[in-house]
Amino acid sequence: MRGTLLIFSGPSGVGKGTVVKELRRRSDRIRLSVSATTRKPRPEDVEGVTYYFKTMEEFEAMIGRDEFLEHAVYSGNRYGTPAGPVDELLDAGCDVVLEIEVQGALQVMERRPDAVSVFVTAPSFAELERRLRGRGDTTGADLERRLRTARTEYALAPKYDYIVVNDRVERCADEVMAILTADKCRAKYRLDLLKEDD
Ligand code: 5GP
């Protein structure tokens, strides 16, 4: 069976990355799509693992060759999901997680109606603010900007199939695993089970 394409979005500071790490720890059939971006690498970034780092010209050439499943601008930088590797993994039966922001997520919902979309929130907006402050690397203006972005992201969350809460990473991962399991039980994927002859 072809794997599930899982769109996974949520505001900065909510801990999406940690939840995705936990999902991958639980199953090696769950893979993370590696995006292309024009943003500068951070110390923790590894080319080809966290992102493919591109110049603006390279990124635009990829758009020209129609290589992206979706692409969007976030905080002044461009981000895009290369379609080829995603489809190869799905064909191999892997579930592929797209950890992407909301504008790109809306494009994937449109282009891939079978994709399952999950928006991750903090237990409350006050808790999200607390987590962002706790990061320490955010100045007052930066914090305000992230909170404004989070509000616009929350406004689009009702368009997702599911909303999960990252109160504890393990519990949040349990919810996402349950969503993946339920998706595989959809009647449309199980019609073979209803046949009388095999
Ligand atoms: P960061 O630069 O902090 O790694 O990511 C910034 C935002 O861009 C995050 O919300 C992340 O999920 C999102 N993002 C990462 N890759 C992609 C992508 O390929 N497409 C879109 N639309 N967003 C992405």
Side-chain angles (χ1 to χ4, degrees):
M1 181 182 164
R2 197 169 145 90
T4 302
L5 182 58
L6 186 81
I7 302 167
F8 201 63
S9 306
S12 165
V14 82
K16 301 187 286 282
T18 321
V19 176
V20 171
K21 212 182 246 174
E22 175 63 15
L23 295 173
R24 292 168 72 199
R25 196 187 63 75
R26 291 185 185 194
S27 166
D28 53 17
R29 270 195 37 194
I30 300 178
R31 304 294 178 85
L32 180 64
S33 159
V34 181
S35 299
T37 183
T38 61
R39 88 149 158 74
K40 295 282 163 287
R42 298 182 189 132
E44 68 275 18
D45 280 317
V46 180
E47 165 69 26
V49 177
T50 51
Y51 283 104
Y52 296 106
F53 292 94
K54 303 287 179 193
T55 62
M56 188 60 89
E57 293 70 36
E58 289 169 336
F59 195 96
E60 281 171 356
M62 289 178 80
I63 296 175
R65 294 193 298 269
D66 201 19
E67 286 180 19
F68 288 124
L69 175 54
E70 60 74 35
H71 59 90
V73 176
Y74 184 89
S75 273
N77 297 305
R78 303 188 85 155
Y79 294 84
T81 304
V86 168
D87 283 318
E88 275 168 33
L89 286 168
L90 290 173
D91 287 342
C94 294
D95 297 329
V96 182
V97 180
L98 307 183
E99 196 189 318
I100 60 178
E101 55 68 61
V102 288
Q103 298 304 330
L106 296 180
Q107 295 170 40
V108 181
M109 290 176 204
E110 187 82 28
R111 293 180 73 168
R112 300 288 174 100
D114 286 344
V116 176
S117 54
V118 176
F119 188 92
V120 54
T121 67
S124 67
F125 204 85
E127 170 62 15
L128 178 66
E129 185 168 349
R130 202 188 60 75
R131 287 183 194 177
L132 280 172
R133 279 185 203 283
R135 276 187 164 185
D137 60 347
T138 39
T139 61
D142 201 29
L143 177 70
E144 274 315 310
R145 193 176 48 75
R146 282 178 199 241
L147 289 173
R148 259 202 316 277
T149 306
R151 285 189 186 98
T152 59
E153 289 166 335
Y154 271 38
L156 290 169
K159 293 191 181 295
Y160 286 66
D161 297 318
Y162 298 97
I163 295 177
V164 296
V165 183
N166 186 18
D167 47 359
R168 267 196 321 115
V169 173
E170 291 77 16
R171 210 203 52 77
C172 184
D174 287 346
E175 287 190 349
V176 181
M177 294 301 285
I179 290 166
L180 279 173
T181 302
D183 185 60
K184 292 178 198 309
C185 298
R186 279 182 197 277
K188 66 179 175 184
Y189 299 135
R190 297 221 146 158
L191 297 178
D192 279 355
L193 295 171
L194 308 177
K195 286 185 188 150
E196 287 195 24
D197 44 348
D198 45 28

